[in-house]
Amino acid sequence: MRGNIIKYPRDNIDTDVIIPGQYLKVHDYAELATHAMEGLDPDFHSKVKEGDFILSGKNFGCGSSREHAPIALSHCGVKAILALSFARIFYRNSVDGAFLLPIEIDQDAYDGISEGDEIDIDISKNEIKNITKNQTYKMKPFSEIIGKIIAAGGLFKYKPDQD
Amino acid sequence: MGKTLFEKIWESHIVVEKQNEPDLIYIDRHLVHEVTSPQAFDGLRMNNRKVRRPDLTIATMDHNVPTTDRSLPMLDETSSIQIKTLENNCKDFGIKLFDISSPNQGIVHVIGPQLGITLPGSTIVCGDSHTSTHGAFGALALGIGTSEVEHVLASQTLWLEKPKTFEVRVEGKRKNPHAVTAKDIILSIIKNIGTAGGTGTVIEYRGEGISDLSMDQRMTICNMSIEGGARAGLIAPDEKTFDYLRNREYTPKNYESLVDSWRDELKTDSDATFDKQFILDINDITPQVSWGTNPGMTCDVDEPIPSPDEFSNGDPNQKKGAEKALEYMDLKPGTMIEDIKIDRVFIGSCTNARLEDLIEASKIIQGQKVASTVSAMVVPGSQMVKKQAEEMGLDKIFTDANFEWREAGCSMCLGMNPDILSPGERCASTSNRNFEGRQGNGGRTHLVSPVMAAAAAINGHFVDVRKLDLN
């Protein structure tokens, strides 16, 4: 999976800035997407392209349980969030609906990857390659459970292993 | 080895358990509201599924309902559609709904306990992060997203990874329990453990500082567990818990025999161990006021606002976060909290809009007037709280002081209905999140207790309520 980085070098990006409460009444995902990150970065929509990744610090997606947050980002074309850590409800929402991949990175990746870098994520090897800078970083592997939900294509397609 | 309360509840709800798989957990109660449910019901229809246990599912509308006169038509068409959609979904799928005209309508986390729907030892989910509130009754209560809402509607179960356990022990006694409240305890905890301190854990709050609290106060504590990053917060039930739930509208008929078994079973064994621990001594804690844009950015009422360097302890992201927060809040390091002037006061939300919160706030207001520079409102957590407060004459105390007295709902906590801040307005709020734009685009939120909010309304700026006579 290849894409370019939009970097927000801060912690605690919350669901209220990802998609402000006033838009939780919007059912049309394309319209919802037009308000993504409105509370944080007015230039987001001029930057974001299909296939991009967002990189950020600790506790990404903290706050509300609104699934509108990963939905709005995924309908902007964002395929993955790379962050030092995630709030748990956002993390589960991202994989349950197969909206985007929440990828936990280490400090090396966080420091090494810059805005605009082209990145290749290989979840089978738990590896992140920075094409622009010719560097490679490790990603934290998904837990077995989350890996299976992702492989299945979401919560409703997941079936536990049969005996 | 002994087990924690969390482990006991978890293990008694496992439907399927396999190595290296999530546990399939049975859900005893599912609370539904208008904002996170429409797509879940659409999913059921698309797949020709029914609601598996409509009898264990209860709905109300709270997030976007108007808090003004409800005999008038709703002006916001999209909110109106969302409310209609919930009505239709509940009708189609046979779910009990407390609609906008019901005397039981209110914030879902306020009505659950009031109606006796929230029970000790049970598992409760809701498509809302503040579901953790119900943990005050010794229930394992989890906030979930819309996909999981659909999964629970369809199967009454959820695939969950077992969280770790986190003991937060609150020791000591508050010197002035009317001035230093449960809100100040939980804000102190979050200030110390950080907004991600509880990530991946279920917190059990223990100790004298917790058992001393009333049920309304315990709900305030558990409510904000999510602001410390935890999946849920729990307090072992005791006689206060059992008394609270006795003779409520939905209290089970065999309640006394349930209480007998809860008394024996629902506690952490003396030899159980937790994965993590934090201890807070509350002998000397003060009222808390948040100064930044997450609940961890909080300080004592008699402290100056910290500089980004002091706040960050050398962490560059924390420093940058504090700088951005101060810029957004239009505050300078070194400013004393009591010198901060406010424009609005909001007493409401699932954190602090229960009867006791309103009683405590009214003691400050009685015989006084809101400062001419401030506009203030009270939004009771439920219509039942509103009615009880009115029977005590609290509405009169508030309105005489020039507070607005509204109908129940989430209101200005999250800015989904017309109750919002204007850009730049500064609000003393009893809610749970001070995120940028949470209460309205450009609005500035300071999280405080109901008594601190009430005192700020009267004075036009924050005051240390320990200086007031509150007894």
Side-chain angles (χ1 to χ4, degrees), chain A residues 11-12 16 21 24-25 63-64 67 92-93 96 110 143 148 158 161, chain B residues 18 21 76 79 82 127-128 145-148 159 161 195 317 416 433 438:
Chain A
D11 296 339
N12 296 311
D16 278 88
L24 302 184
K25 295 172 262 190
S64 153
E67 208 156 290
R92 265 307 286 263
N93 282 346
D96 280 344
Y110 179 77
S143 72
K148 284 176 180 174
Y158 167 72
D161 291 343
Chain B
K18 281 185 196 165
E21 295 280 343
D76 179 349
S79 290
Q82 215 165 38
D128 188 279
T146 299
S147 295
E148 289 176 313
W159 293 107
E161 284 181 272
T195 50
N317 267 8
M416 272 198 78
R433 290 192 177 130
R438 168 89 176 173

PDB file of all heavy atoms in Angstrom, chain A residues 11-12 16 21 24-25 63-64 67 92-93 96 110 143 148 158 161, chain B residues 18 21 76 79 82 127-128 145-148 159 161 195 317 416 433 438:
ATOM      1  N   ASP A  11       0.008  15.467  19.656  1.00  0.00           N
ATOM      2  CA  ASP A  11      -0.717  14.374  20.322  1.00  0.00           C
ATOM      3  C   ASP A  11      -2.206  14.734  20.417  1.00  0.00           C
ATOM      4  O   ASP A  11      -2.592  15.888  20.201  1.00  0.00           O
ATOM      5  CB  ASP A  11      -0.185  14.166  21.751  1.00  0.00           C
ATOM      6  CG  ASP A  11       1.263  13.723  21.778  1.00  0.00           C
ATOM      7  OD1 ASP A  11       1.745  13.202  20.756  1.00  0.00           O
ATOM      8  OD2 ASP A  11       1.913  13.906  22.829  1.00  0.00           O
ATOM      9  N   ASN A  12      -2.993  13.727  20.784  1.00  0.00           N
ATOM     10  CA  ASN A  12      -4.402  13.960  21.173  1.00  0.00           C
ATOM     11  C   ASN A  12      -5.256  14.605  20.092  1.00  0.00           C
ATOM     12  O   ASN A  12      -6.045  15.514  20.380  1.00  0.00           O
ATOM     13  CB  ASN A  12      -4.462  14.828  22.443  1.00  0.00           C
ATOM     14  CG  ASN A  12      -3.842  14.158  23.646  1.00  0.00           C
ATOM     15  OD1 ASN A  12      -4.145  13.012  23.939  1.00  0.00           O
ATOM     16  ND2 ASN A  12      -2.954  14.873  24.324  1.00  0.00           N
ATOM     17  N   ASP A  16     -13.576  15.364  17.849  1.00  0.00           N
ATOM     18  CA  ASP A  16     -14.299  16.617  17.603  1.00  0.00           C
ATOM     19  C   ASP A  16     -13.612  17.479  16.548  1.00  0.00           C
ATOM     20  O   ASP A  16     -14.280  18.240  15.849  1.00  0.00           O
ATOM     21  CB  ASP A  16     -14.466  17.418  18.897  1.00  0.00           C
ATOM     22  CG  ASP A  16     -15.639  16.920  19.716  1.00  0.00           C
ATOM     23  OD1 ASP A  16     -15.442  16.008  20.529  1.00  0.00           O
ATOM     24  OD2 ASP A  16     -16.751  17.418  19.525  1.00  0.00           O
ATOM     25  N   GLY A  21     -19.121  17.928  15.961  1.00  0.00           N
ATOM     26  CA  GLY A  21     -20.425  17.395  16.322  1.00  0.00           C
ATOM     27  C   GLY A  21     -21.577  17.839  15.434  1.00  0.00           C
ATOM     28  O   GLY A  21     -22.495  17.066  15.174  1.00  0.00           O
ATOM     29  N   LEU A  24     -22.694  15.414  12.698  1.00  0.00           N
ATOM     30  CA  LEU A  24     -23.083  14.028  12.981  1.00  0.00           C
ATOM     31  C   LEU A  24     -24.502  13.742  12.504  1.00  0.00           C
ATOM     32  O   LEU A  24     -24.987  12.631  12.580  1.00  0.00           O
ATOM     33  CB  LEU A  24     -22.961  13.732  14.479  1.00  0.00           C
ATOM     34  CG  LEU A  24     -21.569  13.948  15.072  1.00  0.00           C
ATOM     35  CD1 LEU A  24     -21.538  13.530  16.526  1.00  0.00           C
ATOM     36  CD2 LEU A  24     -20.511  13.192  14.289  1.00  0.00           C
ATOM     37  N   LYS A  25     -25.166  14.784  12.019  1.00  0.00           N
ATOM     38  CA  LYS A  25     -26.502  14.597  11.460  1.00  0.00           C
ATOM     39  C   LYS A  25     -26.437  14.271   9.973  1.00  0.00           C
ATOM     40  O   LYS A  25     -27.431  13.938   9.359  1.00  0.00           O
ATOM     41  CB  LYS A  25     -27.329  15.883  11.653  1.00  0.00           C
ATOM     42  CG  LYS A  25     -27.585  16.191  13.110  1.00  0.00           C
ATOM     43  CD  LYS A  25     -28.220  17.558  13.302  1.00  0.00           C
ATOM     44  CE  LYS A  25     -27.178  18.579  13.653  1.00  0.00           C
ATOM     45  NZ  LYS A  25     -27.738  19.872  14.089  1.00  0.00           N
ATOM     46  N   GLY A  63     -11.663  10.668  22.407  1.00  0.00           N
ATOM     47  CA  GLY A  63     -12.952  11.336  22.535  1.00  0.00           C
ATOM     48  C   GLY A  63     -14.104  10.433  22.168  1.00  0.00           C
ATOM     49  O   GLY A  63     -14.171   9.280  22.572  1.00  0.00           O
ATOM     50  N   SER A  64     -14.982  10.981  21.373  1.00  0.00           N
ATOM     51  CA  SER A  64     -16.294  10.404  21.095  1.00  0.00           C
ATOM     52  C   SER A  64     -16.220   9.057  20.381  1.00  0.00           C
ATOM     53  O   SER A  64     -15.227   8.721  19.751  1.00  0.00           O
ATOM     54  CB  SER A  64     -17.036  11.415  20.234  1.00  0.00           C
ATOM     55  OG  SER A  64     -17.985  10.813  19.422  1.00  0.00           O
ATOM     56  N   GLU A  67     -18.409   6.893  14.775  1.00  0.00           N
ATOM     57  CA  GLU A  67     -17.758   6.190  13.671  1.00  0.00           C
ATOM     58  C   GLU A  67     -17.614   7.131  12.474  1.00  0.00           C
ATOM     59  O   GLU A  67     -16.875   6.858  11.535  1.00  0.00           O
ATOM     60  CB  GLU A  67     -18.583   4.943  13.300  1.00  0.00           C
ATOM     61  CG  GLU A  67     -17.775   3.825  12.696  1.00  0.00           C
ATOM     62  CD  GLU A  67     -18.425   2.455  12.870  1.00  0.00           C
ATOM     63  OE1 GLU A  67     -18.478   1.960  14.012  1.00  0.00           O
ATOM     64  OE2 GLU A  67     -18.890   1.887  11.874  1.00  0.00           O
ATOM     65  N   ARG A  92     -10.931   0.612  16.963  1.00  0.00           N
ATOM     66  CA  ARG A  92     -11.871  -0.452  16.597  1.00  0.00           C
ATOM     67  C   ARG A  92     -12.808   0.001  15.482  1.00  0.00           C
ATOM     68  O   ARG A  92     -13.105  -0.753  14.556  1.00  0.00           O
ATOM     69  CB  ARG A  92     -12.702  -0.884  17.820  1.00  0.00           C
ATOM     70  CG  ARG A  92     -12.176  -2.088  18.580  1.00  0.00           C
ATOM     71  CD  ARG A  92     -11.932  -3.303  17.745  1.00  0.00           C
ATOM     72  NE  ARG A  92     -13.112  -4.034  17.293  1.00  0.00           N
ATOM     73  CZ  ARG A  92     -13.616  -5.093  17.883  1.00  0.00           C
ATOM     74  NH1 ARG A  92     -13.082  -5.563  18.975  1.00  0.00           N
ATOM     75  NH2 ARG A  92     -14.675  -5.700  17.386  1.00  0.00           N
ATOM     76  N   ASN A  93     -13.288   1.238  15.566  1.00  0.00           N
ATOM     77  CA  ASN A  93     -14.187   1.736  14.518  1.00  0.00           C
ATOM     78  C   ASN A  93     -13.515   1.679  13.148  1.00  0.00           C
ATOM     79  O   ASN A  93     -14.154   1.367  12.145  1.00  0.00           O
ATOM     80  CB  ASN A  93     -14.597   3.182  14.806  1.00  0.00           C
ATOM     81  CG  ASN A  93     -15.672   3.283  15.877  1.00  0.00           C
ATOM     82  OD1 ASN A  93     -16.302   2.297  16.231  1.00  0.00           O
ATOM     83  ND2 ASN A  93     -15.871   4.486  16.402  1.00  0.00           N
ATOM     84  N   ASP A  96     -13.436  -2.108  12.191  1.00  0.00           N
ATOM     85  CA  ASP A  96     -14.746  -2.782  12.167  1.00  0.00           C
ATOM     86  C   ASP A  96     -15.470  -2.541  10.859  1.00  0.00           C
ATOM     87  O   ASP A  96     -16.071  -3.440  10.291  1.00  0.00           O
ATOM     88  CB  ASP A  96     -15.628  -2.290  13.327  1.00  0.00           C
ATOM     89  CG  ASP A  96     -15.267  -2.964  14.641  1.00  0.00           C
ATOM     90  OD1 ASP A  96     -14.571  -3.995  14.609  1.00  0.00           O
ATOM     91  OD2 ASP A  96     -15.678  -2.445  15.688  1.00  0.00           O
ATOM     92  N   TYR A 110       8.151   8.043  13.491  1.00  0.00           N
ATOM     93  CA  TYR A 110       7.499   9.339  13.726  1.00  0.00           C
ATOM     94  C   TYR A 110       8.453  10.496  13.414  1.00  0.00           C
ATOM     95  O   TYR A 110       8.081  11.462  12.750  1.00  0.00           O
ATOM     96  CB  TYR A 110       7.029   9.415  15.178  1.00  0.00           C
ATOM     97  CG  TYR A 110       6.361  10.711  15.539  1.00  0.00           C
ATOM     98  CD1 TYR A 110       5.053  10.967  15.147  1.00  0.00           C
ATOM     99  CD2 TYR A 110       7.041  11.692  16.258  1.00  0.00           C
ATOM    100  CE1 TYR A 110       4.434  12.167  15.466  1.00  0.00           C
ATOM    101  CE2 TYR A 110       6.434  12.892  16.580  1.00  0.00           C
ATOM    102  CZ  TYR A 110       5.133  13.121  16.181  1.00  0.00           C
ATOM    103  OH  TYR A 110       4.532  14.304  16.493  1.00  0.00           O
ATOM    104  N   SER A 143      -2.708  -7.046  16.586  1.00  0.00           N
ATOM    105  CA  SER A 143      -2.971  -8.237  17.394  1.00  0.00           C
ATOM    106  C   SER A 143      -3.609  -9.257  16.452  1.00  0.00           C
ATOM    107  O   SER A 143      -4.153  -8.904  15.402  1.00  0.00           O
ATOM    108  CB  SER A 143      -3.911  -7.899  18.548  1.00  0.00           C
ATOM    109  OG  SER A 143      -5.208  -7.671  18.039  1.00  0.00           O
ATOM    110  N   LYS A 148      -7.153 -10.423  11.942  1.00  0.00           N
ATOM    111  CA  LYS A 148      -8.172 -11.268  11.297  1.00  0.00           C
ATOM    112  C   LYS A 148      -9.379 -10.454  10.841  1.00  0.00           C
ATOM    113  O   LYS A 148      -9.948 -10.727   9.788  1.00  0.00           O
ATOM    114  CB  LYS A 148      -8.629 -12.366  12.264  1.00  0.00           C
ATOM    115  CG  LYS A 148      -7.600 -13.484  12.400  1.00  0.00           C
ATOM    116  CD  LYS A 148      -8.050 -14.494  13.441  1.00  0.00           C
ATOM    117  CE  LYS A 148      -7.004 -15.603  13.575  1.00  0.00           C
ATOM    118  NZ  LYS A 148      -7.332 -16.519  14.672  1.00  0.00           N
ATOM    119  N   TYR A 158     -16.035 -11.049   9.523  1.00  0.00           N
ATOM    120  CA  TYR A 158     -15.149 -11.873  10.348  1.00  0.00           C
ATOM    121  C   TYR A 158     -15.894 -13.084  10.898  1.00  0.00           C
ATOM    122  O   TYR A 158     -16.996 -12.969  11.426  1.00  0.00           O
ATOM    123  CB  TYR A 158     -14.620 -11.023  11.514  1.00  0.00           C
ATOM    124  CG  TYR A 158     -13.950 -11.830  12.602  1.00  0.00           C
ATOM    125  CD1 TYR A 158     -12.707 -12.408  12.406  1.00  0.00           C
ATOM    126  CD2 TYR A 158     -14.589 -12.007  13.830  1.00  0.00           C
ATOM    127  CE1 TYR A 158     -12.108 -13.156  13.405  1.00  0.00           C
ATOM    128  CE2 TYR A 158     -13.992 -12.743  14.837  1.00  0.00           C
ATOM    129  CZ  TYR A 158     -12.763 -13.317  14.616  1.00  0.00           C
ATOM    130  OH  TYR A 158     -12.179 -14.051  15.614  1.00  0.00           O
ATOM    131  N   ASP A 161     -12.146 -18.778  13.817  1.00  0.00           N
ATOM    132  CA  ASP A 161     -11.647 -20.063  13.294  1.00  0.00           C
ATOM    133  C   ASP A 161     -12.535 -21.204  13.790  1.00  0.00           C
ATOM    134  O   ASP A 161     -12.940 -21.220  14.941  1.00  0.00           O
ATOM    135  CB  ASP A 161     -10.214 -20.301  13.782  1.00  0.00           C
ATOM    136  CG  ASP A 161      -9.263 -19.323  13.121  1.00  0.00           C
ATOM    137  OD1 ASP A 161      -9.662 -18.727  12.104  1.00  0.00           O
ATOM    138  OD2 ASP A 161      -8.152 -19.127  13.645  1.00  0.00           O
TER     139      ASP A 161
ATOM    140  N   LYS B  18     -11.671 -18.704  22.870  1.00  0.00           N
ATOM    141  CA  LYS B  18     -10.643 -19.556  22.257  1.00  0.00           C
ATOM    142  C   LYS B  18      -9.316 -18.836  22.345  1.00  0.00           C
ATOM    143  O   LYS B  18      -9.278 -17.608  22.343  1.00  0.00           O
ATOM    144  CB  LYS B  18     -10.969 -19.793  20.785  1.00  0.00           C
ATOM    145  CG  LYS B  18     -12.029 -20.835  20.546  1.00  0.00           C
ATOM    146  CD  LYS B  18     -12.184 -21.068  19.067  1.00  0.00           C
ATOM    147  CE  LYS B  18     -13.467 -21.784  18.779  1.00  0.00           C
ATOM    148  NZ  LYS B  18     -13.820 -21.717  17.375  1.00  0.00           N
ATOM    149  N   GLU B  21      -8.038 -15.675  20.048  1.00  0.00           N
ATOM    150  CA  GLU B  21      -9.229 -15.097  19.432  1.00  0.00           C
ATOM    151  C   GLU B  21      -9.779 -14.067  20.421  1.00  0.00           C
ATOM    152  O   GLU B  21      -9.493 -14.148  21.618  1.00  0.00           O
ATOM    153  CB  GLU B  21     -10.301 -16.172  19.219  1.00  0.00           C
ATOM    154  CG  GLU B  21      -9.923 -17.271  18.235  1.00  0.00           C
ATOM    155  CD  GLU B  21     -10.094 -16.830  16.796  1.00  0.00           C
ATOM    156  OE1 GLU B  21     -10.797 -15.826  16.564  1.00  0.00           O
ATOM    157  OE2 GLU B  21      -9.508 -17.475  15.915  1.00  0.00           O
ATOM    158  N   ASP B  76     -34.475  22.853  13.184  1.00  0.00           N
ATOM    159  CA  ASP B  76     -33.367  22.208  12.483  1.00  0.00           C
ATOM    160  C   ASP B  76     -33.884  20.943  11.789  1.00  0.00           C
ATOM    161  O   ASP B  76     -34.210  19.950  12.431  1.00  0.00           O
ATOM    162  CB  ASP B  76     -32.273  21.867  13.493  1.00  0.00           C
ATOM    163  CG  ASP B  76     -31.089  21.172  12.850  1.00  0.00           C
ATOM    164  OD1 ASP B  76     -31.200  20.762  11.671  1.00  0.00           O
ATOM    165  OD2 ASP B  76     -30.070  21.022  13.521  1.00  0.00           O
ATOM    166  N   SER B  79     -31.825  17.558  12.242  1.00  0.00           N
ATOM    167  CA  SER B  79     -32.049  16.963  13.563  1.00  0.00           C
ATOM    168  C   SER B  79     -33.420  16.305  13.620  1.00  0.00           C
ATOM    169  O   SER B  79     -33.574  15.202  14.156  1.00  0.00           O
ATOM    170  CB  SER B  79     -31.980  18.026  14.661  1.00  0.00           C
ATOM    171  OG  SER B  79     -30.669  18.488  14.814  1.00  0.00           O
ATOM    172  N   GLN B  82     -33.330  13.033  11.957  1.00  0.00           N
ATOM    173  CA  GLN B  82     -32.626  12.019  12.751  1.00  0.00           C
ATOM    174  C   GLN B  82     -33.524  11.493  13.889  1.00  0.00           C
ATOM    175  O   GLN B  82     -33.524  10.305  14.195  1.00  0.00           O
ATOM    176  CB  GLN B  82     -31.340  12.628  13.330  1.00  0.00           C
ATOM    177  CG  GLN B  82     -30.207  11.634  13.411  1.00  0.00           C
ATOM    178  CD  GLN B  82     -28.849  12.297  13.624  1.00  0.00           C
ATOM    179  OE1 GLN B  82     -28.727  13.265  14.351  1.00  0.00           O
ATOM    180  NE2 GLN B  82     -27.831  11.745  13.002  1.00  0.00           N
ATOM    181  N   GLY B 127     -23.706   3.302  21.839  1.00  0.00           N
ATOM    182  CA  GLY B 127     -22.877   3.984  20.854  1.00  0.00           C
ATOM    183  C   GLY B 127     -22.543   5.384  21.318  1.00  0.00           C
ATOM    184  O   GLY B 127     -22.883   6.378  20.677  1.00  0.00           O
ATOM    185  N   ASP B 128     -21.866   5.443  22.450  1.00  0.00           N
ATOM    186  CA  ASP B 128     -21.494   6.729  23.038  1.00  0.00           C
ATOM    187  C   ASP B 128     -20.361   6.483  24.016  1.00  0.00           C
ATOM    188  O   ASP B 128     -20.440   5.582  24.852  1.00  0.00           O
ATOM    189  CB  ASP B 128     -22.690   7.345  23.768  1.00  0.00           C
ATOM    190  CG  ASP B 128     -22.383   8.762  24.212  1.00  0.00           C
ATOM    191  OD1 ASP B 128     -21.728   8.934  25.262  1.00  0.00           O
ATOM    192  OD2 ASP B 128     -22.766   9.700  23.492  1.00  0.00           O
ATOM    193  N   GLY B 145     -18.742   1.874  18.661  1.00  0.00           N
ATOM    194  CA  GLY B 145     -19.059   2.572  17.431  1.00  0.00           C
ATOM    195  C   GLY B 145     -20.265   1.952  16.738  1.00  0.00           C
ATOM    196  O   GLY B 145     -20.839   0.968  17.214  1.00  0.00           O
ATOM    197  N   THR B 146     -20.637   2.541  15.605  1.00  0.00           N
ATOM    198  CA  THR B 146     -21.883   2.139  14.953  1.00  0.00           C
ATOM    199  C   THR B 146     -21.839   0.714  14.400  1.00  0.00           C
ATOM    200  O   THR B 146     -22.846   0.002  14.434  1.00  0.00           O
ATOM    201  CB  THR B 146     -22.229   3.156  13.851  1.00  0.00           C
ATOM    202  OG1 THR B 146     -22.405   4.426  14.479  1.00  0.00           O
ATOM    203  CG2 THR B 146     -23.510   2.791  13.138  1.00  0.00           C
ATOM    204  N   SER B 147     -20.679   0.254  13.900  1.00  0.00           N
ATOM    205  CA  SER B 147     -20.592  -1.139  13.425  1.00  0.00           C
ATOM    206  C   SER B 147     -20.872  -2.101  14.568  1.00  0.00           C
ATOM    207  O   SER B 147     -21.559  -3.111  14.400  1.00  0.00           O
ATOM    208  CB  SER B 147     -19.205  -1.436  12.855  1.00  0.00           C
ATOM    209  OG  SER B 147     -18.973  -0.673  11.700  1.00  0.00           O
ATOM    210  N   GLU B 148     -20.316  -1.765  15.730  1.00  0.00           N
ATOM    211  CA  GLU B 148     -20.538  -2.629  16.895  1.00  0.00           C
ATOM    212  C   GLU B 148     -21.987  -2.525  17.392  1.00  0.00           C
ATOM    213  O   GLU B 148     -22.546  -3.510  17.862  1.00  0.00           O
ATOM    214  CB  GLU B 148     -19.542  -2.278  18.005  1.00  0.00           C
ATOM    215  CG  GLU B 148     -18.121  -2.707  17.643  1.00  0.00           C
ATOM    216  CD  GLU B 148     -17.083  -2.291  18.672  1.00  0.00           C
ATOM    217  OE1 GLU B 148     -17.100  -1.116  19.094  1.00  0.00           O
ATOM    218  OE2 GLU B 148     -16.259  -3.118  19.038  1.00  0.00           O
ATOM    219  N   TRP B 159     -17.519  -9.130  19.819  1.00  0.00           N
ATOM    220  CA  TRP B 159     -16.150  -9.658  19.877  1.00  0.00           C
ATOM    221  C   TRP B 159     -15.270  -8.607  20.532  1.00  0.00           C
ATOM    222  O   TRP B 159     -15.128  -7.508  20.013  1.00  0.00           O
ATOM    223  CB  TRP B 159     -15.614  -9.932  18.464  1.00  0.00           C
ATOM    224  CG  TRP B 159     -16.306 -11.046  17.754  1.00  0.00           C
ATOM    225  CD1 TRP B 159     -17.183 -10.932  16.713  1.00  0.00           C
ATOM    226  CD2 TRP B 159     -16.178 -12.453  17.997  1.00  0.00           C
ATOM    227  NE1 TRP B 159     -17.615 -12.168  16.302  1.00  0.00           N
ATOM    228  CE2 TRP B 159     -17.002 -13.124  17.083  1.00  0.00           C
ATOM    229  CE3 TRP B 159     -15.439 -13.215  18.917  1.00  0.00           C
ATOM    230  CZ2 TRP B 159     -17.119 -14.510  17.048  1.00  0.00           C
ATOM    231  CZ3 TRP B 159     -15.557 -14.594  18.877  1.00  0.00           C
ATOM    232  CH2 TRP B 159     -16.387 -15.231  17.957  1.00  0.00           C
ATOM    233  N   GLU B 161     -11.523  -7.710  22.711  1.00  0.00           N
ATOM    234  CA  GLU B 161     -10.240  -8.077  23.294  1.00  0.00           C
ATOM    235  C   GLU B 161     -10.299  -7.748  24.777  1.00  0.00           C
ATOM    236  O   GLU B 161     -10.725  -6.660  25.156  1.00  0.00           O
ATOM    237  CB  GLU B 161      -9.121  -7.246  22.656  1.00  0.00           C
ATOM    238  CG  GLU B 161      -8.758  -7.716  21.279  1.00  0.00           C
ATOM    239  CD  GLU B 161      -7.623  -6.863  20.701  1.00  0.00           C
ATOM    240  OE1 GLU B 161      -7.929  -5.831  20.095  1.00  0.00           O
ATOM    241  OE2 GLU B 161      -6.456  -7.246  20.868  1.00  0.00           O
ATOM    242  N   THR B 195      -4.307  11.902  29.358  1.00  0.00           N
ATOM    243  CA  THR B 195      -5.499  11.542  28.582  1.00  0.00           C
ATOM    244  C   THR B 195      -5.373  10.163  27.931  1.00  0.00           C
ATOM    245  O   THR B 195      -6.359   9.626  27.441  1.00  0.00           O
ATOM    246  CB  THR B 195      -5.785  12.579  27.483  1.00  0.00           C
ATOM    247  OG1 THR B 195      -4.567  12.789  26.754  1.00  0.00           O
ATOM    248  CG2 THR B 195      -6.258  13.886  28.067  1.00  0.00           C
ATOM    249  N   ASN B 317       6.133  17.113  21.959  1.00  0.00           N
ATOM    250  CA  ASN B 317       4.741  17.147  21.493  1.00  0.00           C
ATOM    251  C   ASN B 317       3.798  17.740  22.529  1.00  0.00           C
ATOM    252  O   ASN B 317       2.849  18.454  22.193  1.00  0.00           O
ATOM    253  CB  ASN B 317       4.259  15.744  21.117  1.00  0.00           C
ATOM    254  CG  ASN B 317       4.457  15.453  19.647  1.00  0.00           C
ATOM    255  OD1 ASN B 317       5.086  16.233  18.928  1.00  0.00           O
ATOM    256  ND2 ASN B 317       3.935  14.336  19.204  1.00  0.00           N
ATOM    257  N   MET B 416     -24.414  19.919  19.132  1.00  0.00           N
ATOM    258  CA  MET B 416     -25.184  19.360  18.001  1.00  0.00           C
ATOM    259  C   MET B 416     -26.524  20.051  17.817  1.00  0.00           C
ATOM    260  O   MET B 416     -27.161  19.908  16.789  1.00  0.00           O
ATOM    261  CB  MET B 416     -25.454  17.876  18.236  1.00  0.00           C
ATOM    262  CG  MET B 416     -24.362  16.976  17.728  1.00  0.00           C
ATOM    263  SD  MET B 416     -24.934  15.291  17.553  1.00  0.00           S
ATOM    264  CE  MET B 416     -25.850  15.385  16.021  1.00  0.00           C
ATOM    265  N   ARG B 433     -15.576  17.491  28.022  1.00  0.00           N
ATOM    266  CA  ARG B 433     -14.526  17.674  27.015  1.00  0.00           C
ATOM    267  C   ARG B 433     -14.342  19.143  26.693  1.00  0.00           C
ATOM    268  O   ARG B 433     -15.308  19.855  26.418  1.00  0.00           O
ATOM    269  CB  ARG B 433     -14.878  16.919  25.719  1.00  0.00           C
ATOM    270  CG  ARG B 433     -14.796  15.448  25.928  1.00  0.00           C
ATOM    271  CD  ARG B 433     -14.833  14.652  24.639  1.00  0.00           C
ATOM    272  NE  ARG B 433     -14.680  13.258  25.003  1.00  0.00           N
ATOM    273  CZ  ARG B 433     -15.457  12.268  24.607  1.00  0.00           C
ATOM    274  NH1 ARG B 433     -16.440  12.509  23.751  1.00  0.00           N
ATOM    275  NH2 ARG B 433     -15.248  11.046  25.012  1.00  0.00           N
ATOM    276  N   ARG B 438     -15.499  21.977  20.432  1.00  0.00           N
ATOM    277  CA  ARG B 438     -16.475  21.011  20.960  1.00  0.00           C
ATOM    278  C   ARG B 438     -17.831  21.671  21.248  1.00  0.00           C
ATOM    279  O   ARG B 438     -18.878  21.145  20.935  1.00  0.00           O
ATOM    280  CB  ARG B 438     -15.912  20.390  22.237  1.00  0.00           C
ATOM    281  CG  ARG B 438     -16.896  19.583  23.073  1.00  0.00           C
ATOM    282  CD  ARG B 438     -16.943  18.154  22.662  1.00  0.00           C
ATOM    283  NE  ARG B 438     -17.823  17.379  23.533  1.00  0.00           N
ATOM    284  CZ  ARG B 438     -18.161  16.126  23.319  1.00  0.00           C
ATOM    285  NH1 ARG B 438     -17.703  15.488  22.262  1.00  0.00           N
ATOM    286  NH2 ARG B 438     -18.962  15.483  24.126  1.00  0.00           N
TER     287      ARG B 438
END
